Amino acid sequence: MAYSDKVLDHYNNPRNVGSFDKSDPNVGTGMVGAPECGDVMKLQVKVNPATGVIEDAKFKTFGCGSAIASSSLATEWLRGKTVDEALAIKNTDIVNELSLPPVKIHCSVLAEDAIKAAIDDYKKKTEKVETSVQAQA
Amino acid sequence: MKFYDALGLEPKLALDSDDVKKRFYDRSRQWHPDRFSRASSEEKQRSEEMTAVLNDAFRALRDPVTRAEYFLRESGLELSKDAPPELLEEVFDLNMALEELRGGDESARPQLAAAQERFTGMLGDADASLAEYFTNYDEKPDRAVLDEIHATLNRRRYVSNLVREVEKELNVHSAN
């Protein structure tokens, strides 16, 4: 099956590969996987707590070219977005941008799940901090 | 359930594999198309259909995993493909080690060998749990047990893919 040029570009030159310290309170980590193909995707966001803007995003994906491209594209899109804007990213946006064929749509779903999981993790962390601050007050 | 009916079995999860095999052979002989060479065309067709169903039934029911998958589908459960979240962290590390070994870093080998052993053990545990759930459900059909079986099947499928992957890499890059 032929990959689109955009998939190939992300696959050959993946953006933002790497990781942040997941114990950093400003970092949200999303880890998702698909049992059929054994893909695992880790996506992290680093949020500016004052503005709620995602300043940086990194990923590492083990999986097919489409899974790597989907998560690479996701990190590009995440940078500069607020946490709420990030949650509005839909897998169909990724499908359209990368021209993914129907059999690879699950890769874009995985990327959307990873974004949601990362934001969710970040939100949980900030809630915890707020509660402990209130408890101290 | 069609496959159980074909072999004259009650729809139970726990089955004796020797009994399943014997029923399959007996019935296959009984319905063998050679025995219907002089029969009417309807009977011939019936014999071919039965032979096909028996083959499918035996393939599905002889193995506990495929049997449970069939049973769940027939019970109206849609088999989900969610990855077990409690394993993801470990799977990620495992993939990192696989990548290192592929890149020629031999220091990843002991970690992979240990992971292979651990995941193979998990397969054995999953099989033991399945056997236990089968008996429980057969005694007292409870939807919650079917959900447990479903989760165990998902975990088992995921882990068995991993084991295959690790075995392949350890063999391809085996030290001389």
Side-chain angles (χ1 to χ4, degrees):
Chain A
M1 184 193 54
Y3 284 121
S4 72
D5 288 345
K6 278 181 181 161
V7 170
L8 286 176
D9 179 35
H10 277 280
Y11 179 71
N12 291 321
N13 311 293
R15 331 288 201 265
N16 313 315
V17 173
S19 65
F20 302 123
D21 176 7
K22 67 174 188 178
S23 60
D24 182 334
N26 298 326
V27 167
T29 303
M31 183 90 91
V32 293
E36 285 303 290
C37 35
D39 288 1
V40 223
M41 190 179 278
K42 181 163 105 171
L43 190 147
Q44 294 182 298
V45 291
K46 192 174 219 167
V47 183
N48 180 329
T51 58
V53 169
I54 296 165
E55 295 192 320
D56 204 355
K58 288 205 182 294
F59 84 98
K60 175 77 190 170
T61 292
F62 297 101
C64 66
S66 302
I68 291 169
S70 295
S71 38
S72 170
L73 176 68
T75 56
E76 267 193 335
W77 280 354
L78 285 170
R79 291 173 138 193
K81 279 198 166 59
T82 65
V83 167
D84 291 328
E85 284 166 353
L87 287 175
I89 296 175
K90 291 274 166 285
N91 83 291
T92 44
D93 303 334
I94 297 170
V95 171
N96 292 337
E97 175 68 19
L98 296 175
S99 321
L100 292 180
V103 291
K104 291 294 180 183
I105 285 177
H106 68 277
C107 298
S108 68
V109 174
L110 212 54
E112 184 188 324
D113 289 347
I115 295 174
K116 297 217 153 54
I119 304 281
D120 200 43
D121 182 53
Y122 169 73
K123 282 190 168 170
K124 272 194 193 133
K125 276 184 180 172
T126 48
E127 276 162 24
K128 249 185 222 157
V129 172
E130 275 164 22
T131 357
S132 64
V133 169
Q134 279 164 4
Q136 280 167 7
Chain B
M1 296 185 196
K2 188 169 130 193
F3 289 168
Y4 284 91
D5 293 343
L7 293 169
L9 287 161
E10 291 279 307
K12 298 276 184 194
L13 278 162
L15 294 179
D16 172 10
S17 61
D18 288 338
D19 178 49
V20 173
K21 199 190 276 178
K22 186 174 181 311
R23 283 167 182 271
F24 169 66
Y25 286 137
D26 287 350
R27 274 152 211 258
S28 295
R29 249 193 309 276
Q30 183 191 337
W31 287 101
H32 199 286
D34 285 357
R35 297 180 45 152
F36 292 81
S37 53
R38 290 176 201 192
S40 68
S41 64
E42 287 94 56
E43 280 175 315
K44 272 184 190 153
Q45 201 188 338
R46 172 108 178 102
S47 127
E48 281 162 19
E49 280 167 8
M50 277 306 289
T51 306
V53 172
L54 284 168
N55 279 317
D56 290 343
F58 182 55
R59 213 173 293 135
L61 298 186
R62 67 176 163 184
D63 174 71
V65 170
T66 52
R67 186 194 313 147
E69 284 170 352
Y70 173 70
F71 196 97
L72 291 180
R73 273 197 306 272
E74 291 291 307
S75 308
L77 258 84
E78 197 159 326
L79 296 186
S80 79
K81 292 173 179 174
D82 294 332
E86 73 277 7
L87 285 181
L88 282 175
E89 201 76 38
E90 206 169 348
V91 170
F92 189 85
D93 291 343
L94 184 66
N95 274 294
M96 285 295 247
L98 280 172
E99 195 172 80
E100 282 163 18
L101 186 67
R102 285 188 196 115
D105 182 352
E106 279 295 317
S107 66
R109 182 175 295 277
Q111 189 192 342
L112 285 172
Q116 182 188 21
E117 197 171 319
R118 212 180 96 69
F119 283 115
T120 308
M122 285 170 77
L123 281 184
D125 293 346
D127 289 340
S129 309
L130 281 179
E132 201 174 311
Y133 291 137
F134 286 2
T135 321
N136 291 349
Y137 186 84
D138 288 343
E139 275 169 16
K140 188 166 166 289
D142 180 357
R143 170 64 197 252
V145 179
L146 285 190
D147 290 337
E148 292 289 350
I149 292 175
H150 188 191
T152 309
L153 286 176
N154 262 349
R155 196 165 56 238
R156 198 190 181 287
R157 188 186 314 122
Y158 199 70
V159 170
S160 89
N161 283 346
L162 279 176
V163 168
R164 207 174 313 135
E165 187 78 1
V166 173
E167 267 167 11
K168 196 175 80 193
E169 290 301 324
L170 284 176
N171 290 334
V172 168
H173 298 275
S174 64
N176 296 326

